Amino acid sequence: MAELQLAIRMLQDREAAWLDGWRRRVMPRLPQHARMVLSLVPAVGWAPTFLGPGKAGTLPELVEEVRATPPDVMNNELAAMAELQSVPTWARRLGDDETLRGQLWEALEQLYEQLLGPYWQRLTGCFAADRAVRTQHLLAGGVERLLTLANPLWMRWNPPVLEVRMANGLDHDLYLQGQGIVLVPSAFASRSIVDDDESQPQVTYPLPGDLSLDRLTALVPEQEVPGSTAALAALLGNTRAAVLSVIAEHPGCTTTELAGLSGTTPPGASQHATVLREAGLIHTTRYRNTAHHTATTLGIALLNGPDGTRQN
């Protein structure tokens, strides 16, 4: 839901020229009541927190949580927003008008299906690749290294403070004081965003430069997958098919891990990964001398049969 809010903001931000292709594709397909959501989540400014629960979950689970927001909570949040920026007149009736709320919730679900749904599987591949790199930072140098390298352009670790340059142009000093922190990579964020929750702060940051091309590729229309995936899988051969399957089941795995899991040597795993990458079945990100592999949507489709089930 947090990524959906960012997508809604970037849909309206004409300065984000790198999203022009995505914007041209989705604008004609906006649902009837989409403008209701867009008016509450502007390109720049505040948005009601009840539209974006800051937690992980499936779309139905999170939308159900949004639907369960008490009317008085909605009214209070919108009243607070009205003191900071313009709020549409209709929104002032939201807490008291069940029909209006139904239209808003329906539009929110439909916006996800148009803005993120077609691209979500590929975007999660980018997130998995970023997570693999963060894990390597943590293992190599602990939390100090993780926070130092997390997003140097927008965040600086100055112990014990994480200094964050935020999307609204302000700087935010985050005093962790032994708390946990949730780091959230985003395909749509242009700068870092801090949710300074007392129990566990959350920092959303743009996917790093080495994943920018993957991010843009993820936001283009799906390639049509040839009809007979079983026949194509047979062309890979048993070993290469096994390598692809391991990568799909262990996104972000290194070449060494890939070799161990697939029963090949590291040079052999590297060679197979190169062929799969050139065929568009996986993408690879590098951190120093380590390569991390993640299956693309096409690669996953190739492993699945015509009915969408995994082929053995």
Side-chain angles (χ1 to χ4, degrees):
M1 296 298 282
E3 191 73 349
L4 176 59
Q5 280 209 15
L6 287 169
I8 291 170
R9 290 183 185 276
M10 298 306 284
L11 181 69
Q12 304 170 80
D13 185 359
R14 297 296 178 177
E15 294 184 5
W18 56 275
L19 284 171
D20 282 349
W22 167 79
R23 195 178 291 111
R24 284 194 298 269
R25 286 192 298 276
V26 301
M27 284 294 284
R29 302 189 181 98
L30 292 184
Q32 178 181 359
H33 299 295
R35 296 292 173 190
M36 296 173 66
V37 182
L38 270 57
S39 65
L40 290 180
V41 187
V44 178
W46 300 92
T49 57
F50 63 78
L51 286 181
K55 60 177 66 175
T58 65
L59 180 67
E61 290 170 348
L62 297 177
V63 169
E64 186 58 34
E65 183 168 332
V66 172
R67 287 177 178 272
T69 305
D72 59 332
V73 172
M74 297 182 199
N75 290 335
N76 291 339
E77 284 198 25
L78 292 169
M81 279 181 56
E83 297 180 2
L84 301 171
Q85 65 192 39
S86 176
V87 172
T89 303
W90 64 263
R92 299 171 186 174
R93 311 193 315 271
L94 188 62
D96 307 312
D97 191 327
E98 186 175 351
T99 300
L100 202 59
R101 293 198 299 273
Q103 292 172 348
L104 183 65
W105 309 149
E106 182 180 0
L108 191 66
E109 291 183 89
Q110 292 173 342
L111 275 170
Y112 171 85
E113 296 299 337
Q114 295 300 330
L115 304 188
L116 289 185
Y119 318 103
W120 190 248
Q121 188 175 38
R122 284 182 288 176
L123 287 173
T124 54
C126 294
F127 301 150
D130 180 75
R131 183 170 62 247
V133 172
R134 306 299 156 212
T135 301
Q136 292 299 317
H137 292 170
L138 184 63
L139 293 174
V143 173
E144 294 276 336
R145 186 175 186 81
L146 172 65
L147 295 180
T148 298
L149 299 178
N151 197 260
L153 182 61
W154 303 113
M155 293 189 288
R156 186 175 70 167
W157 176 235
N158 186 15
V161 181
L162 185 63
E163 300 171 351
V164 183
R165 295 170 58 195
M166 300 208 343
N168 59 10
L170 301 177
D171 292 336
H172 185 94
D173 290 344
L174 189 57
Y175 293 83
L176 298 182
Q177 299 177 327
Q179 297 167 291
I181 182 172
V182 181
L183 298 177
V184 185
S186 169
F188 288 92
S190 57
R191 291 192 181 188
S192 296
I193 303 168
V194 176
D195 179 4
D196 197 356
D197 186 275
E198 291 183 359
S199 59
Q200 190 171 57
Q202 177 172 300
V203 179
T204 302
Y205 57 90
L207 283 166
D210 56 347
L211 286 173
S212 294
L213 180 59
D214 290 330
R215 173 182 62 180
L216 292 175
T217 302
L219 294 175
V220 300
E222 292 273 9
Q223 297 179 356
E224 183 177 352
V225 179
S228 179
T229 55
L232 283 176
L235 291 177
L236 292 177
N238 291 334
T239 302
R240 195 160 292 155
V243 169
L244 178 58
S245 181
V246 166
I247 294 173
E249 293 171 2
H250 301 83
C253 63
T254 67
T255 303
T256 301
E257 292 168 340
L258 177 59
L261 291 167
S262 61
T264 61
T265 64
S270 178
Q271 182 179 15
H272 289 307
T274 298
V275 173
L276 294 171
R277 182 170 59 254
E278 291 175 348
L281 303 180
I282 69 170
H283 63 72
T284 300
T285 56
R286 296 185 180 278
Y287 170 64
R288 294 188 173 178
N289 296 324
T290 305
H292 300 270
H293 311 289
T294 305
T296 64
T297 302
L298 183 61
I300 292 171
L302 192 62
L303 288 168
N304 294 338
D307 60 353
T309 60
R310 181 61 57 88
Q311 300 296 294
N312 295 321

